[in-house]
Amino acid sequence: EFRRVLFRFIRLMPRVAVLVLAMLFIFGAVAGILVKVMPAPLKDSDYFMIGSVATLAALGVLFLIVVTTSRKASTDVFIRKRKKNS
């Protein structure tokens, strides 16, 4: 059981690494764009809003990636089908 879980983890590790790097890139890009777009005298609340919007964008893209690349091509991604015990 442990080996099976370990091999599955190792097999999925590149996917997780790519997702983490993509989220960091999206967060940095959105935050950088918003810092350039906002008017010059930035206050603490401006940086708070920039971070909030960048986080929302990164998590939104992560959600879309996970939903669209889900392994099971079922009609409803959010409902997990139970295994039938026979």
Side-chain angles (χ1 to χ4, degrees):
E1 180 67 24
F2 176 73
R3 283 186 176 180
R4 187 178 66 124
V5 172
L6 181 64
F7 288 137
R8 184 172 187 272
F9 174 74
I10 291 172
R11 190 183 81 227
L12 294 176
M13 209 163 43
R15 179 181 180 199
V16 173
V18 168
L19 283 175
V20 168
L21 290 175
M23 293 307 99
L24 289 174
F25 175 76
I26 290 170
F27 179 85
V30 171
I33 290 169
L34 288 175
V35 166
K36 294 291 183 186
V37 170
M38 297 281 285
L42 294 176
K43 295 185 271 182
D44 289 340
S45 61
D46 294 332
Y47 289 113
F48 176 75
M49 289 307 299
I50 289 170
S52 299
V53 172
T55 302
L56 178 67
L59 290 177
V61 171
L62 174 67
F63 177 76
L64 289 175
I65 289 172
V66 169
V67 167
T68 57
T69 61
S70 111
R71 288 185 167 207
K72 295 181 180 179
S74 64
T75 56
D76 194 357
V77 177
F78 299 106
I79 298 176
R80 179 181 292 178
K81 294 182 180 179
R82 296 182 182 175
K83 293 181 181 177
K84 294 181 181 179
N85 295 332
S86 43

